[in-house]
């Protein structure tokens, strides 16, 4: 019944509403289950009720993750038979609590890399300066003047086209904040107010730039909220050249 697929199911880790569309068969039967065993160690199950594809692996659980009370650890096996039986409750728990994995995309961005020890391809000296001109990475040797212009570079945040959702956790929001937020996100204030009072996610997909601007505004107003999926850009605000493609 259950089988591995040639198509990876890991794209479901960027999903925060379940059941999700399965990347293997295209049906809305995809599920995820996480279990943290001890610090920085846990298990991951991904499976599809429709096509019976599944994956099981060890994983570093998100720092915020708290295990559910649905299944005891000793009941878990690689094959997701028990998980399939509990899929509705698992989907509800994951949709409520899962906000994406911890991973800092700014840490792997070349804008934040230490390029001070690069050697010059011409004189082999180590006095090479690296900087960006638009989207091109330029290497310039301070000793011999050799200048190398690399191929176009786009940072992870510039390539991020994922739809983000905003989930405001407080049901009493000042009217002025609602009006300002509605104007920022182009959402009708009465509709937004109803969604917040019903503890629902705002019914509009937002770009990375929109969600970051909204999040900064809500933090300034002291209003608790979640972003789904989780933001993975720890240095977004301090990066002087972020999101060049939106300028």
């Amino acid at each position: 019944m259950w089988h591995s697929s040639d198509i990876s199911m890991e794209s479901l880790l960027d999903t925060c509403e379940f059941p999700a569309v399965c990347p293997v068969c295209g049906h809305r039967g995809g599920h995820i289950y996480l279990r943290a065993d001890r610090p920085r160690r846990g298990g991951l199950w991904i499976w599809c009720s429709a096509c019976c594809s599944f994956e099981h692996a060890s994983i570093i659980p998100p720092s915020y993750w708290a295990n559910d009370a649905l299944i005891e650890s000793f009941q878990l096996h690689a094959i997701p038979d028990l998980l399939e039986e509990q899929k509705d409750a698992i989907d509800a728990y994951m949709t409520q609590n899962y906000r994406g994995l911890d991973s800092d995309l700014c840490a792997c961005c070349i804008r934040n890399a230490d390029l001070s020890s690069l050697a010059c391809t011409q004189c082999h000296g180590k006095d090479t300066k690296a900087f960006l001109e638009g989207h091109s990475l330029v290497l310039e040797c301070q000793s011999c003047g050799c200048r190398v212009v690399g191929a176009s570079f786009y940072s992870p945040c510039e390539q991020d086209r994922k739809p983000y959702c905003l989930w405001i956790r407080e049901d009493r929001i000042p009217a002025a904040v609602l009006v300002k937020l509605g104007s920022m996100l182009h959402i009708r204030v009465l509709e937004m107010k109803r969604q917040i009072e019903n503890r629902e996610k705002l019914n509009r997909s937002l770009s990375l730039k929109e969600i970051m601007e909204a999040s900064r505004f809500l933090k300034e107003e002291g209003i608790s909220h979640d972003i789904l999926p989780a933001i993975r850009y720890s240095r977004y605000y301090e990066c002087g050249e972020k999101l060049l493609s939106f300028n």
Side-chain angles (χ1 to χ4, degrees), residues 116 118-131 139-148:
S116 59
L118 291 177
C120 174
T121 57
Q122 190 75 23
C123 69
H124 305 293
K126 291 192 176 182
D127 193 16
T128 300
K129 181 181 178 183
F131 55 93
L139 303 178
E140 189 172 76
C141 179
Q142 307 301 296
S143 299
C144 70
C146 177
R147 178 182 168 93
V148 178

PDB file of all heavy atoms in Angstrom, residues 116 118-131 139-148:
ATOM      1  N   SER A 116      36.444  38.385   2.606  1.00  0.00           N
ATOM      2  CA  SER A 116      37.647  39.195   2.789  1.00  0.00           C
ATOM      3  C   SER A 116      38.938  38.452   2.459  1.00  0.00           C
ATOM      4  O   SER A 116      39.971  39.079   2.238  1.00  0.00           O
ATOM      5  CB  SER A 116      37.710  39.705   4.239  1.00  0.00           C
ATOM      6  OG  SER A 116      37.726  38.613   5.143  1.00  0.00           O
ATOM      7  N   LEU A 118      39.498  36.382  -0.146  1.00  0.00           N
ATOM      8  CA  LEU A 118      39.576  35.922  -1.525  1.00  0.00           C
ATOM      9  C   LEU A 118      40.922  36.302  -2.153  1.00  0.00           C
ATOM     10  O   LEU A 118      41.441  37.396  -1.926  1.00  0.00           O
ATOM     11  CB  LEU A 118      38.437  36.525  -2.345  1.00  0.00           C
ATOM     12  CG  LEU A 118      37.027  36.022  -2.024  1.00  0.00           C
ATOM     13  CD1 LEU A 118      36.008  36.773  -2.857  1.00  0.00           C
ATOM     14  CD2 LEU A 118      36.920  34.529  -2.276  1.00  0.00           C
ATOM     15  N   ALA A 119      41.438  35.390  -2.944  1.00  0.00           N
ATOM     16  CA  ALA A 119      42.708  35.661  -3.628  1.00  0.00           C
ATOM     17  C   ALA A 119      42.441  36.188  -5.031  1.00  0.00           C
ATOM     18  O   ALA A 119      41.509  35.760  -5.706  1.00  0.00           O
ATOM     19  CB  ALA A 119      43.546  34.386  -3.698  1.00  0.00           C
ATOM     20  N   CYS A 120      43.285  37.135  -5.463  1.00  0.00           N
ATOM     21  CA  CYS A 120      43.166  37.707  -6.801  1.00  0.00           C
ATOM     22  C   CYS A 120      43.584  36.671  -7.840  1.00  0.00           C
ATOM     23  O   CYS A 120      44.605  35.998  -7.689  1.00  0.00           O
ATOM     24  CB  CYS A 120      44.043  38.957  -6.913  1.00  0.00           C
ATOM     25  SG  CYS A 120      44.102  39.659  -8.579  1.00  0.00           S
ATOM     26  N   THR A 121      42.807  36.535  -8.887  1.00  0.00           N
ATOM     27  CA  THR A 121      43.126  35.567  -9.943  1.00  0.00           C
ATOM     28  C   THR A 121      44.314  36.021 -10.787  1.00  0.00           C
ATOM     29  O   THR A 121      44.914  35.212 -11.493  1.00  0.00           O
ATOM     30  CB  THR A 121      41.912  35.358 -10.859  1.00  0.00           C
ATOM     31  OG1 THR A 121      41.513  36.621 -11.408  1.00  0.00           O
ATOM     32  CG2 THR A 121      40.744  34.768 -10.085  1.00  0.00           C
ATOM     33  N   GLN A 122      44.669  37.317 -10.711  1.00  0.00           N
ATOM     34  CA  GLN A 122      45.748  37.857 -11.531  1.00  0.00           C
ATOM     35  C   GLN A 122      47.088  37.809 -10.781  1.00  0.00           C
ATOM     36  O   GLN A 122      48.062  37.224 -11.254  1.00  0.00           O
ATOM     37  CB  GLN A 122      45.436  39.302 -11.935  1.00  0.00           C
ATOM     38  CG  GLN A 122      46.362  39.887 -12.991  1.00  0.00           C
ATOM     39  CD  GLN A 122      46.076  39.359 -14.374  1.00  0.00           C
ATOM     40  OE1 GLN A 122      44.965  38.900 -14.660  1.00  0.00           O
ATOM     41  NE2 GLN A 122      47.075  39.390 -15.242  1.00  0.00           N
ATOM     42  N   CYS A 123      47.140  38.464  -9.610  1.00  0.00           N
ATOM     43  CA  CYS A 123      48.406  38.552  -8.875  1.00  0.00           C
ATOM     44  C   CYS A 123      48.463  37.617  -7.670  1.00  0.00           C
ATOM     45  O   CYS A 123      49.494  37.538  -6.998  1.00  0.00           O
ATOM     46  CB  CYS A 123      48.647  39.989  -8.419  1.00  0.00           C
ATOM     47  SG  CYS A 123      47.502  40.554  -7.125  1.00  0.00           S
ATOM     48  N   HIS A 124      47.362  36.948  -7.375  1.00  0.00           N
ATOM     49  CA  HIS A 124      47.253  35.988  -6.278  1.00  0.00           C
ATOM     50  C   HIS A 124      47.384  36.636  -4.907  1.00  0.00           C
ATOM     51  O   HIS A 124      47.561  35.932  -3.896  1.00  0.00           O
ATOM     52  CB  HIS A 124      48.289  34.856  -6.412  1.00  0.00           C
ATOM     53  CG  HIS A 124      48.217  34.164  -7.734  1.00  0.00           C
ATOM     54  ND1 HIS A 124      47.138  33.391  -8.137  1.00  0.00           N
ATOM     55  CD2 HIS A 124      49.090  34.165  -8.799  1.00  0.00           C
ATOM     56  CE1 HIS A 124      47.349  32.924  -9.348  1.00  0.00           C
ATOM     57  NE2 HIS A 124      48.513  33.379  -9.791  1.00  0.00           N
ATOM     58  N   GLY A 125      47.293  37.954  -4.848  1.00  0.00           N
ATOM     59  CA  GLY A 125      47.273  38.633  -3.565  1.00  0.00           C
ATOM     60  C   GLY A 125      45.922  38.470  -2.888  1.00  0.00           C
ATOM     61  O   GLY A 125      44.932  38.097  -3.518  1.00  0.00           O
ATOM     62  N   LYS A 126      45.889  38.768  -1.588  1.00  0.00           N
ATOM     63  CA  LYS A 126      44.649  38.578  -0.825  1.00  0.00           C
ATOM     64  C   LYS A 126      44.017  39.902  -0.419  1.00  0.00           C
ATOM     65  O   LYS A 126      43.320  39.988   0.589  1.00  0.00           O
ATOM     66  CB  LYS A 126      44.919  37.707   0.403  1.00  0.00           C
ATOM     67  CG  LYS A 126      45.250  36.262   0.043  1.00  0.00           C
ATOM     68  CD  LYS A 126      45.235  35.370   1.255  1.00  0.00           C
ATOM     69  CE  LYS A 126      45.463  33.915   0.858  1.00  0.00           C
ATOM     70  NZ  LYS A 126      45.405  33.000   2.016  1.00  0.00           N
ATOM     71  N   ASP A 127      44.275  40.919  -1.230  1.00  0.00           N
ATOM     72  CA  ASP A 127      43.688  42.236  -0.956  1.00  0.00           C
ATOM     73  C   ASP A 127      42.551  42.500  -1.943  1.00  0.00           C
ATOM     74  O   ASP A 127      42.519  43.511  -2.631  1.00  0.00           O
ATOM     75  CB  ASP A 127      44.773  43.316  -1.070  1.00  0.00           C
ATOM     76  CG  ASP A 127      44.301  44.646  -0.495  1.00  0.00           C
ATOM     77  OD1 ASP A 127      43.290  44.640   0.232  1.00  0.00           O
ATOM     78  OD2 ASP A 127      44.923  45.671  -0.796  1.00  0.00           O
ATOM     79  N   THR A 128      41.621  41.551  -2.015  1.00  0.00           N
ATOM     80  CA  THR A 128      40.518  41.642  -2.968  1.00  0.00           C
ATOM     81  C   THR A 128      39.252  42.096  -2.268  1.00  0.00           C
ATOM     82  O   THR A 128      38.871  41.557  -1.222  1.00  0.00           O
ATOM     83  CB  THR A 128      40.264  40.278  -3.646  1.00  0.00           C
ATOM     84  OG1 THR A 128      41.447  39.886  -4.341  1.00  0.00           O
ATOM     85  CG2 THR A 128      39.113  40.351  -4.622  1.00  0.00           C
ATOM     86  N   LYS A 129      38.612  43.079  -2.832  1.00  0.00           N
ATOM     87  CA  LYS A 129      37.369  43.613  -2.282  1.00  0.00           C
ATOM     88  C   LYS A 129      36.196  43.068  -3.085  1.00  0.00           C
ATOM     89  O   LYS A 129      36.220  43.046  -4.314  1.00  0.00           O
ATOM     90  CB  LYS A 129      37.395  45.142  -2.347  1.00  0.00           C
ATOM     91  CG  LYS A 129      36.153  45.815  -1.786  1.00  0.00           C
ATOM     92  CD  LYS A 129      36.265  47.332  -1.925  1.00  0.00           C
ATOM     93  CE  LYS A 129      35.004  48.010  -1.412  1.00  0.00           C
ATOM     94  NZ  LYS A 129      35.068  49.490  -1.597  1.00  0.00           N
ATOM     95  N   ALA A 130      35.162  42.628  -2.402  1.00  0.00           N
ATOM     96  CA  ALA A 130      33.956  42.112  -3.059  1.00  0.00           C
ATOM     97  C   ALA A 130      32.781  43.029  -2.742  1.00  0.00           C
ATOM     98  O   ALA A 130      32.594  43.437  -1.599  1.00  0.00           O
ATOM     99  CB  ALA A 130      33.658  40.703  -2.586  1.00  0.00           C
ATOM    100  N   PHE A 131      32.001  43.372  -3.755  1.00  0.00           N
ATOM    101  CA  PHE A 131      30.828  44.229  -3.535  1.00  0.00           C
ATOM    102  C   PHE A 131      29.844  44.013  -4.675  1.00  0.00           C
ATOM    103  O   PHE A 131      30.159  43.387  -5.700  1.00  0.00           O
ATOM    104  CB  PHE A 131      31.236  45.707  -3.450  1.00  0.00           C
ATOM    105  CG  PHE A 131      32.018  46.207  -4.629  1.00  0.00           C
ATOM    106  CD1 PHE A 131      31.386  46.808  -5.711  1.00  0.00           C
ATOM    107  CD2 PHE A 131      33.403  46.081  -4.663  1.00  0.00           C
ATOM    108  CE1 PHE A 131      32.112  47.261  -6.795  1.00  0.00           C
ATOM    109  CE2 PHE A 131      34.146  46.533  -5.745  1.00  0.00           C
ATOM    110  CZ  PHE A 131      33.490  47.131  -6.817  1.00  0.00           C
ATOM    111  N   LEU A 139      34.470  41.567  -8.038  1.00  0.00           N
ATOM    112  CA  LEU A 139      35.696  41.326  -7.277  1.00  0.00           C
ATOM    113  C   LEU A 139      36.768  42.256  -7.825  1.00  0.00           C
ATOM    114  O   LEU A 139      37.066  42.240  -9.023  1.00  0.00           O
ATOM    115  CB  LEU A 139      36.137  39.868  -7.405  1.00  0.00           C
ATOM    116  CG  LEU A 139      35.121  38.809  -6.977  1.00  0.00           C
ATOM    117  CD1 LEU A 139      35.687  37.409  -7.219  1.00  0.00           C
ATOM    118  CD2 LEU A 139      34.734  38.979  -5.532  1.00  0.00           C
ATOM    119  N   GLU A 140      37.362  43.066  -6.950  1.00  0.00           N
ATOM    120  CA  GLU A 140      38.345  44.059  -7.381  1.00  0.00           C
ATOM    121  C   GLU A 140      39.569  43.980  -6.487  1.00  0.00           C
ATOM    122  O   GLU A 140      39.486  44.172  -5.271  1.00  0.00           O
ATOM    123  CB  GLU A 140      37.726  45.456  -7.325  1.00  0.00           C
ATOM    124  CG  GLU A 140      38.587  46.533  -7.962  1.00  0.00           C
ATOM    125  CD  GLU A 140      37.825  47.846  -8.049  1.00  0.00           C
ATOM    126  OE1 GLU A 140      37.702  48.502  -7.001  1.00  0.00           O
ATOM    127  OE2 GLU A 140      37.348  48.182  -9.143  1.00  0.00           O
ATOM    128  N   CYS A 141      40.724  43.697  -7.100  1.00  0.00           N
ATOM    129  CA  CYS A 141      41.966  43.585  -6.349  1.00  0.00           C
ATOM    130  C   CYS A 141      42.517  44.980  -6.073  1.00  0.00           C
ATOM    131  O   CYS A 141      42.714  45.781  -6.999  1.00  0.00           O
ATOM    132  CB  CYS A 141      42.989  42.754  -7.121  1.00  0.00           C
ATOM    133  SG  CYS A 141      44.580  42.597  -6.275  1.00  0.00           S
ATOM    134  N   GLN A 142      42.797  45.268  -4.810  1.00  0.00           N
ATOM    135  CA  GLN A 142      43.298  46.572  -4.421  1.00  0.00           C
ATOM    136  C   GLN A 142      44.790  46.727  -4.721  1.00  0.00           C
ATOM    137  O   GLN A 142      45.325  47.830  -4.692  1.00  0.00           O
ATOM    138  CB  GLN A 142      43.057  46.802  -2.921  1.00  0.00           C
ATOM    139  CG  GLN A 142      41.612  46.590  -2.490  1.00  0.00           C
ATOM    140  CD  GLN A 142      40.644  47.506  -3.222  1.00  0.00           C
ATOM    141  OE1 GLN A 142      40.702  48.723  -3.085  1.00  0.00           O
ATOM    142  NE2 GLN A 142      39.752  46.910  -4.011  1.00  0.00           N
ATOM    143  N   SER A 143      45.454  45.614  -5.052  1.00  0.00           N
ATOM    144  CA  SER A 143      46.895  45.654  -5.330  1.00  0.00           C
ATOM    145  C   SER A 143      47.187  45.883  -6.810  1.00  0.00           C
ATOM    146  O   SER A 143      47.900  46.814  -7.177  1.00  0.00           O
ATOM    147  CB  SER A 143      47.560  44.352  -4.870  1.00  0.00           C
ATOM    148  OG  SER A 143      47.404  44.161  -3.480  1.00  0.00           O
ATOM    149  N   CYS A 144      46.596  45.045  -7.677  1.00  0.00           N
ATOM    150  CA  CYS A 144      46.923  45.151  -9.097  1.00  0.00           C
ATOM    151  C   CYS A 144      45.801  45.767  -9.931  1.00  0.00           C
ATOM    152  O   CYS A 144      45.985  46.028 -11.121  1.00  0.00           O
ATOM    153  CB  CYS A 144      47.284  43.775  -9.663  1.00  0.00           C
ATOM    154  SG  CYS A 144      45.870  42.640  -9.786  1.00  0.00           S
ATOM    155  N   GLY A 145      44.650  45.990  -9.327  1.00  0.00           N
ATOM    156  CA  GLY A 145      43.547  46.623 -10.051  1.00  0.00           C
ATOM    157  C   GLY A 145      42.713  45.677 -10.874  1.00  0.00           C
ATOM    158  O   GLY A 145      41.786  46.099 -11.580  1.00  0.00           O
ATOM    159  N   CYS A 146      43.003  44.385 -10.822  1.00  0.00           N
ATOM    160  CA  CYS A 146      42.208  43.415 -11.587  1.00  0.00           C
ATOM    161  C   CYS A 146      40.759  43.458 -11.103  1.00  0.00           C
ATOM    162  O   CYS A 146      40.481  43.450  -9.906  1.00  0.00           O
ATOM    163  CB  CYS A 146      42.787  42.014 -11.398  1.00  0.00           C
ATOM    164  SG  CYS A 146      41.834  40.714 -12.217  1.00  0.00           S
ATOM    165  N   ARG A 147      39.842  43.497 -12.065  1.00  0.00           N
ATOM    166  CA  ARG A 147      38.418  43.613 -11.735  1.00  0.00           C
ATOM    167  C   ARG A 147      37.642  42.527 -12.485  1.00  0.00           C
ATOM    168  O   ARG A 147      37.742  42.407 -13.708  1.00  0.00           O
ATOM    169  CB  ARG A 147      37.913  45.002 -12.131  1.00  0.00           C
ATOM    170  CG  ARG A 147      36.442  45.258 -11.890  1.00  0.00           C
ATOM    171  CD  ARG A 147      36.112  46.667 -12.376  1.00  0.00           C
ATOM    172  NE  ARG A 147      34.693  46.931 -12.443  1.00  0.00           N
ATOM    173  CZ  ARG A 147      33.965  47.478 -11.484  1.00  0.00           C
ATOM    174  NH1 ARG A 147      34.542  47.829 -10.354  1.00  0.00           N
ATOM    175  NH2 ARG A 147      32.674  47.691 -11.636  1.00  0.00           N
ATOM    176  N   VAL A 148      36.920  41.741 -11.739  1.00  0.00           N
ATOM    177  CA  VAL A 148      36.127  40.659 -12.309  1.00  0.00           C
ATOM    178  C   VAL A 148      34.663  40.891 -11.959  1.00  0.00           C
ATOM    179  O   VAL A 148      34.319  41.086 -10.791  1.00  0.00           O
ATOM    180  CB  VAL A 148      36.580  39.281 -11.780  1.00  0.00           C
ATOM    181  CG1 VAL A 148      35.693  38.177 -12.345  1.00  0.00           C
ATOM    182  CG2 VAL A 148      38.043  39.035 -12.119  1.00  0.00           C
TER     183      VAL A 148
END
